[in-house]
Amino acid sequence: MAPAIEGMVPAIESSEGNNKMNKGYQYPSWKKKLRGLVVDNEELCRIVEKGIMGLCGVETQAVETGEAAMELIASGATFDIIVIDRFLPSMTGPETARKMREMGVESKIIGLFALYFEGDEEEFVAAGVDDFKEKPLSPNWLVPILRELDN
Amino acid sequence: MAGTDLRAQLNNFIKAMHDQGILDEHFEHVKGLQNEYNPYFVLEIVSIFCRDAENVIAEVTKFLDEPVVDYVKTIGLVHQLRGGSSSLGGSRMAIACRELRQATQDNKKEECLQALEKVKREFSTLHEKLNVISQMERTILTNEGSMVQCIPSGSIY
């Protein structure tokens, strides 16, 4: 089955000082060209997360598995921010994050939980993620992180 | 103008869903992903959500029906369900999923079954409202001149 909406337009680069408006929400634009990677096995989550990152001004790719993410990185792709779901088939989210760090990936890595209970983050944190979040991935939460990356 | 009226009607309907807690602000961000390059985005996302949620709920029901419940698999499915509903903005359903997850913590089948019933009720409500939203979106798109054919699940163009 062809992935739905995977071909959507990447983040629009606007001119300086311009933000994108959408029905009252002001989405940012950045000085740098920010690149992101979403690693999420769930189709709906992956599509929405990629879209939200795009709305927030990040040119984003999305893959379904940790292995696919590692292939991208091994091929030379670099990202400013990587968002990884906790539960991935075969290579888990924390395992993926750990392998990325072992490969020297210095991107901001965010661990994502469909459902978070206190203590769940330990594996992710031990693997070297910078932060973690319970879904959904929201612009309000993402934008301050992107602002830091842009600076 | 008819198109404007229907768009206003849709917005009012969505606002009512917000007021009832059925949808939260994240649904607005999801709607914000619809544009001229992805005019059917909302329709497609709703279709994916409803299809996947139905399948997952059926699987959870099957696991909880077993004499010996596989809680590990059940928990994985509940995570999936909560992930999808929260990513769509289905707030009350996401809360019901959390309660089901909490129930699995103690491995108490009866509590899990009660929590699952609540998930099913919230999904039924959400599904019904999303169908209304989808129908209105289709009509708006048709009125705006986009050719909206029957959109098979899983495809977009």
Side-chain angles (χ1 to χ4, degrees):
Chain A
M1 175 167 36
I5 325 172
E6 297 288 0
M8 75 178 287
V9 176
I12 300 162
E13 290 182 18
S14 58
S15 55
E16 269 183 51
N18 287 345
N19 292 342
K20 299 187 288 296
M21 291 289 292
N22 181 63
K23 295 185 177 67
Y25 293 98
Q26 191 164 25
Y27 298 107
S29 57
W30 310 107
K31 299 190 290 288
K32 291 186 201 169
K33 179 175 176 170
L34 295 177
R35 287 157 304 183
L37 176 64
V38 164
V39 190
D40 198 323
N41 188 240
E42 293 309 316
E43 184 183 13
L44 184 148
C45 296
R46 186 172 64 250
I47 290 167
V48 171
E49 285 150 16
K50 181 182 174 183
I52 296 289
M53 297 259 277
L55 275 184
C56 291
V58 182
E59 192 170 283
T60 306
Q61 295 185 57
V63 296
E64 298 181 39
T65 64
E67 289 86 347
M70 296 313 298
E71 271 181 41
L72 264 182
I73 287 167
S75 74
T78 58
F79 303 99
D80 298 285
I81 178 168
I82 301 173
V83 174
I84 307 176
D85 186 47
R86 165 69 180 84
F87 286 114
L88 299 172
S90 60
M91 193 191 298
T92 67
E95 282 169 1
T96 304
R98 186 173 52 252
K99 283 192 157 47
M100 286 181 177
R101 290 303 191 210
E102 284 169 1
M103 278 186 72
V105 169
E106 294 181 346
S107 317
K108 181 79 88 175
I109 301 181
I110 310 292
L112 213 51
F113 295 90
L115 242 176
Y116 170 75
F117 283 108
E118 197 177 327
D120 284 350
E121 76 279 14
E122 284 172 12
E123 226 185 321
F124 254 137
V125 169
V129 304
D130 296 288
D131 210 335
F132 56 92
K133 171 115 187 21
E134 186 181 69
K135 294 179 184 182
L137 188 66
S138 69
N140 288 350
W141 189 85
L142 198 51
V143 163
I145 292 174
L146 299 176
R147 190 170 291 124
E148 257 184 55
L149 290 172
D150 195 42
N151 289 333
Chain B
M1 189 166 300
T4 312
D5 288 343
L6 193 53
R7 184 59 77 183
Q9 208 177 317
L10 173 59
N11 289 339
N12 287 339
F13 184 81
I14 291 171
K15 184 179 181 313
M17 295 305 102
H18 278 271
D19 293 343
Q20 293 172 54
I22 295 171
L23 292 173
D24 61 25
E25 65 168 16
H26 195 72
F27 186 74
E28 288 304 311
H29 296 305
V30 172
K31 272 185 68 217
L33 297 173
Q34 182 160 298
N35 54 33
E36 62 268 33
Y37 304 102
N38 278 298
Y40 312 123
F41 187 89
V42 171
L43 291 176
E44 186 63 16
I45 281 293
V46 165
S47 172
I48 292 170
F49 171 73
C50 293
R51 177 200 69 202
D52 288 354
E54 267 177 27
N55 290 340
V56 171
I57 287 172
E59 281 194 68
V60 171
T61 304
K62 205 174 69 179
F63 278 118
L64 288 180
D65 259 346
E66 296 290 324
V68 179
V69 176
D70 185 338
Y71 283 103
V72 171
K73 288 207 167 102
T74 304
I75 286 169
L77 290 167
V78 175
H79 276 244
Q80 210 176 308
L81 203 53
R82 201 246 164 219
S85 47
S86 67
S87 295
L88 176 77
S91 172
R92 270 176 25 188
M93 185 167 163
I95 291 169
C97 291
R98 179 182 298 282
E99 290 170 5
L100 175 53
R101 171 64 180 94
Q102 191 66 58
T104 62
Q105 199 85 338
D106 301 325
N107 290 6
K108 287 183 180 165
K109 190 168 173 176
E110 200 44 52
E111 281 179 31
C112 291
L113 289 170
Q114 285 175 16
L116 177 61
E117 284 309 306
K118 186 172 177 187
V119 168
K120 286 176 176 176
R121 284 195 301 272
E122 291 300 344
F123 174 63
S124 175
T125 301
L126 180 58
H127 192 172
E128 181 196 319
K129 304 304 179 190
L130 290 173
N131 279 346
V132 172
I133 290 171
S134 293
Q135 188 50 55
M136 292 169 86
E137 277 285 346
R138 280 193 192 93
T139 307
I140 288 167
L141 286 167
T142 304
N143 291 346
E144 288 174 355
S146 303
M147 293 299 291
V148 179
Q149 303 298 323
C150 176
I151 297 171
S153 175
S155 67
I156 181 67
Y157 298 115

